[in-house]
Amino acid sequence: MSFNDPGFLFSNRPTDRERDAERAVWERRRMVAQSCYRQATWLVVLTMAFVALPTGLEKWRWQVVGGAAVAITILGLIMMVKGAVKNGLLGLLFAWGILPGWVYAAPGVIQVAREQCQIIAKEWERVL
């Protein structure tokens, strides 16, 4: 910038009000992303519990997982748009990788957990 250009007389720096407004926008974006992350986490936990627990609704597992995957995908995309790309990708991983895998793995995991609980109970009975 030269002194022949009158632009050096004007400040392009944002004012305090503009900086506060921009900070408020980013804070709102962060809060929306955080809220979506919490909702997606609860959806994952509830879906995993539904698949694992013997509710008598075993024939609906894939429909529930599919619905949860769609909802988590939407929440993940919102997170990515709002700037939380890592959390959004994590949501997509759970929606399309871990939850469908959990439908296949849950019966084996529950069986192993029951066996381990029985072994631990027998050991405690032996010790006490």
Side-chain angles (χ1 to χ4, degrees):
M1 182 179 338
S2 73
F3 289 111
N4 294 331
D5 181 21
F8 76 92
L9 296 174
F10 304 106
S11 174
N12 292 331
R13 186 171 181 226
T15 64
D16 288 340
R17 183 174 290 153
E18 291 171 338
R19 284 193 302 269
D20 289 342
E22 186 176 341
R23 190 176 303 122
V25 167
W26 280 104
E27 183 64 23
R28 272 186 255 122
R29 289 173 61 108
R30 188 186 66 78
M31 293 299 290
V32 168
Q34 188 177 24
S35 172
C36 287
Y37 185 74
R38 270 192 238 115
Q39 292 172 6
T41 302
W42 275 108
L43 267 172
V44 166
V45 168
L46 292 175
T47 304
M48 289 180 86
F50 175 79
V51 169
L53 296 175
T55 58
L57 301 172
E58 284 78 17
K59 64 181 180 180
W60 293 97
R61 284 183 177 168
W62 282 109
Q63 289 84 351
V64 170
V65 168
V70 169
I72 294 168
T73 299
I74 292 169
L75 291 170
L77 293 174
I78 292 171
M79 284 186 270
M80 286 192 273
V81 167
K82 297 298 180 181
V85 176
K86 291 178 185 177
N87 289 346
L89 290 174
L90 185 64
L92 293 178
L93 173 69
F94 268 91
W96 299 106
I98 294 174
L99 283 179
W102 181 244
V103 172
Y104 291 118
V109 170
I110 292 171
Q111 181 181 359
V112 169
R114 283 184 184 149
E115 291 171 2
Q116 291 299 318
C117 287
Q118 290 172 354
I119 291 170
I120 291 170
K122 287 179 184 176
E123 287 297 316
W124 274 104
E125 287 175 2
R126 187 181 62 81
V127 170
L128 297 177

